[in-house]
Amino acid sequence: MKFSERPDLCQEERAYETAAYYDIEPIKPGVLEQMILDQACPMDPKDAIPAESFTDLVANIEQYSKGEFGYCMFDNKRGYLANYLYWKKIRPEMTRWWYRWINIKPQGVPDGCGSLHYKIWYPGEHIDHGYINGKDRFGGYFADDYDSEGNIIRTYRYPLNILDFGISQGRLDELRNAGYGIDCAWETGEGGMHLSLNVTRSLPNGDVEKRTRTWIGYGVRDGKVVADENACCTEEMLRNILSHQSIEGNYLESLLPELYKKFSGRPEDTV
């Protein structure tokens, strides 16, 4: 959905200070990202990590590949995304606050209005975000977003333990001591089941690097990676999702430091 076509906030949402950010249009992909999308995509599938070997990213995270940003189809209904972000203004304490804050709705906002905190991240695309169990991240998240045609897509995201997929405790401890954070999950969403892996690194200079991989048409059942027989991924879908990830990730660098400074010391449901 276009920013200019975004739905109005309800009266109760408009009363909050955070509502002003709903009227700010997120920045578009940077010049380099757009050139890659236009000229170098789809990427060569040989540079993609197969879903069955998704933990190869963690096993070899110290090495960069030819496929750090891009997308490709694996077959006629399953695909792959790689996104790369470099944040100079975001610090780990900010993201820890942020990924809780977007699930907390301001007081008095009626049910059905979505999450104002999530909406201001990407007005016209984001609608709602919350805890599946209603209380914490351990039960997973749900998200409602508009797709490129204005349809509402609901995603459920369930956490996975990377130790269950071949990464040893020793390797995990080594990476954590080196400043890496690992977020692994499987999802139900657009195009079928998704397998998702995010690796964030706090660099020695204080900056943050985030490398994301998404396998659309793959998920986890009974502790094993499986291909979703009902997947319906397309190249256009991959391009739209990667563009969305790039926009929201880069916009967060300009949005989050200001929000954190203004609101992190205040009760989450009062702003």
Side-chain angles (χ1 to χ4, degrees):
M1 178 178 292
K2 295 179 180 179
F3 174 79
S4 59
E5 298 173 346
R6 68 195 185 284
D8 291 335
L9 296 178
C10 70
Q11 181 179 354
E12 290 83 359
E13 289 173 316
R14 275 293 176 193
Y16 283 93
E17 187 177 352
T18 44
Y21 293 90
Y22 189 70
D23 299 323
I24 301 174
E25 185 173 6
I27 56 177
K28 300 301 181 183
V31 174
L32 292 178
E33 288 96 335
Q34 194 62 55
M35 287 180 65
I36 295 172
L37 286 169
D38 292 340
Q39 301 178 25
C41 285
M43 63 191 285
D44 190 329
K46 292 186 297 184
D47 296 326
I49 301 172
E52 296 80 4
S53 306
F54 78 99
T55 57
D56 283 0
L57 178 67
V58 176
N60 304 292
I61 197 63
E62 294 90 350
Q63 305 296 320
Y64 296 97
S65 73
K66 294 180 180 179
E68 291 295 336
F69 184 86
Y71 63 86
C72 66
M73 294 292 293
F74 282 135
D75 54 31
N76 64 353
K77 59 182 182 179
R78 301 179 187 88
Y80 175 83
L81 299 164
N83 190 28
Y84 179 88
L85 296 167
Y86 190 99
W87 290 325
K88 294 183 177 181
K89 300 176 183 178
I90 292 177
R91 296 296 177 261
E93 63 270 18
M94 296 180 185
T95 56
R96 286 192 292 268
W97 171 80
W98 171 255
Y99 287 111
R100 172 174 169 77
W101 193 72
I102 59 174
N103 301 288
I104 309 301
K105 300 177 182 179
Q107 297 174 12
V109 175
D111 292 341
C113 288
S115 170
L116 175 60
H117 296 165
Y118 183 59
K119 289 179 186 178
I120 64 175
W121 186 5
Y122 201 148
E125 296 274 345
H126 289 177
I127 305 170
D128 199 4
H129 202 284
Y131 300 121
I132 293 175
N133 64 13
K135 60 181 181 178
D136 58 41
R137 63 185 176 86
F138 298 106
Y141 300 95
F142 71 86
D144 288 336
D145 301 280
Y146 289 107
D147 67 10
S148 59
E149 298 179 354
N151 302 306
I152 297 176
I153 303 296
R154 168 155 287 200
T155 299
Y156 290 98
R157 192 172 199 275
Y158 303 96
L160 296 173
N161 187 342
I162 198 77
L163 296 175
D164 295 333
F165 296 90
I167 298 298
S168 69
Q169 185 65 58
R171 175 58 173 167
L172 187 59
D173 292 342
E174 176 188 15
L175 292 175
R176 285 173 175 167
N177 291 335
Y180 288 94
I182 299 170
D183 174 42
C184 183
W186 75 273
E187 306 169 345
T188 62
E190 187 175 11
M193 296 169 70
H194 301 181
L195 185 61
S196 173
L197 182 58
N198 302 311
V199 180
T200 305
R201 181 188 179 196
S202 298
L203 301 171
N205 65 357
D207 295 346
V208 174
E209 176 186 67
K210 184 175 183 180
R211 295 156 72 182
T212 298
R213 302 291 188 270
T214 308
W215 294 262
I216 296 182
Y218 297 89
V220 172
R221 290 198 187 100
D222 300 323
K224 296 182 179 180
V225 175
V226 297
D228 182 359
E229 292 302 321
N230 297 315
C232 54
C233 181
T234 66
E235 192 171 292
E236 181 181 7
M237 182 185 298
L238 291 172
R239 181 184 175 88
N240 289 337
I241 294 175
L242 182 56
S243 179
H244 180 109
Q245 289 180 351
S246 181
I247 289 172
E248 69 179 10
N250 285 297
Y251 181 52
L252 191 61
E253 183 169 29
S254 64
L255 180 68
L256 180 51
E258 182 175 332
L259 294 179
Y260 183 79
K261 183 178 180 179
K262 282 187 176 182
F263 304 125
S264 65
R266 298 161 65 178
E268 297 157 323
D269 62 352
T270 62
V271 293

